[in-house]
Amino acid sequence: MAESMTETGNAGTPPLDGHEAEAILERSRAIVDPALRAAIDSLPGSMRRIALYHFGWEHPDGTPAAGNAGKAIRPAFVLTAAAALGGEKARASAVRAAAAVELVHNFTLLHDDVMDRDTTRRHRPTAWTVFGDAAAILAGDALQALALRLLAEDPHPASSAAAVRLADCVVELCAGQHADTSLESRAPREVTLDEVLAMAEAKTGALLGCAGALGALYAGAAPGDVDALDAFGREAGLAFQLIDDVIGIWGDPSRTGKPAGADLIARKKSLPVVAALTSGTPAAEELARLYEVPYQEGDLERTVLAVERAGGQDWTQIQAADRMARAVHELARAVPDPAEAGGLLALAEFVTRRST
């Protein structure tokens, strides 16, 4: 799937090999991290300790750690969108906005880990398993407040519109997470693909879309271009989630940092699972029967095979390619010059080319 998307690409652009995206991400991390550290250092000691642990910068005892703070995909979208529409000056002006988006992303991770009872993130114990549920939730709340404060204090003329857009995005993220948790209490045969796709767009596409839109706002772009960058990020984000759900089932734990098949063991109604459940095949019936009862030791292989035989993996990969094509179309609306669009295209293709 990744190869076909790479070969299609944007009109007039050569195939991408991932090195450009990795360079953009590395540069973005270097640009945004100081702003993130400064914001987190302003927190009260108890909240600061949890946040620094979550970002991988400290061990649980507070000693320094050379950890993994994530790939900085969302801040890279902000900075690269600003540069595509407004040049280097716009990129430099959007650092606070990029940091705000990353803070919101990590607020959602802290909360999601508690709600999903995930015990591992970025190859080490999640914050709630170390500090407790309440502490992790409160640290997430603090990160969201920091994000909005960064924009409120930003003298850039676009900061007010950016704050409104980010606040609206947080509401959408919460609605998406609520829909996700509500789906878990529904019977396997009662869930539709349309509602799971809508949930995934709210949970994942919304923030990537907001990141693109904030970059466009800081570049002084026209409203139509801001909306196109939002749509671009949303489609790329949905492609990201589709691939992430594939990795959640078929991923290599040494690469993902999570146990193999964790989503199936937890009976999560991820996109491949719902695609399989609604396929109308004999394998769909087998999967529904498995999902109607709690996970039993030794059922993982049977569950994986049922998803595969019902077409869940194939559907998800095809859908990811389709969403990527839509993202490319939206990007071309706002940034028709392939050379200027190249960085954003590289990032979008990077997130859908991850290895399982």
Side-chain angles (χ1 to χ4, degrees), residues 249-330:
I249 298 174
W250 294 278
D252 179 353
S254 69
R255 298 176 65 91
T256 66
K258 294 186 177 183
D263 287 353
L264 297 182
I265 292 170
R267 296 301 192 236
K268 286 188 68 66
K269 297 179 182 72
S270 62
L271 286 157
V273 167
V274 177
L277 285 168
T278 56
S279 66
T281 63
E285 286 301 311
E286 180 185 1
L287 180 62
R289 288 192 295 271
L290 287 164
Y291 254 60
E292 283 168 348
V293 297
Y295 173 76
Q296 303 292 319
E297 191 69 33
D299 275 353
L300 181 57
E301 185 176 354
R302 286 179 60 204
T303 310
V304 171
L305 287 173
V307 176
E308 291 174 357
R309 289 169 181 161
Q313 185 178 26
D314 289 343
W315 178 89
T316 307
Q317 291 177 324
I318 292 168
Q319 185 71 203
D322 176 65
R323 295 293 176 166
M324 182 62 185
R326 297 187 196 187
V328 170
H329 173 73
E330 295 292 346

Side-chain angles (χ1 to χ4, degrees), residues 35-91:
L36 281 174
R37 291 296 296 261
I40 291 169
D41 283 346
S42 72
L43 290 173
S46 58
M47 296 294 95
R48 182 171 65 248
R49 180 183 171 193
I50 299 164
L52 289 171
Y53 171 81
H54 169 75
F55 275 93
W57 293 325
E58 283 188 1
H59 295 296
D61 63 1
T63 56
N68 175 14
K71 291 185 173 65
I73 289 169
R74 291 153 191 84
F77 264 68
V78 177
L79 298 176
T80 309
L85 290 164
E88 286 301 316
K89 184 176 180 181
R91 188 204 306 269

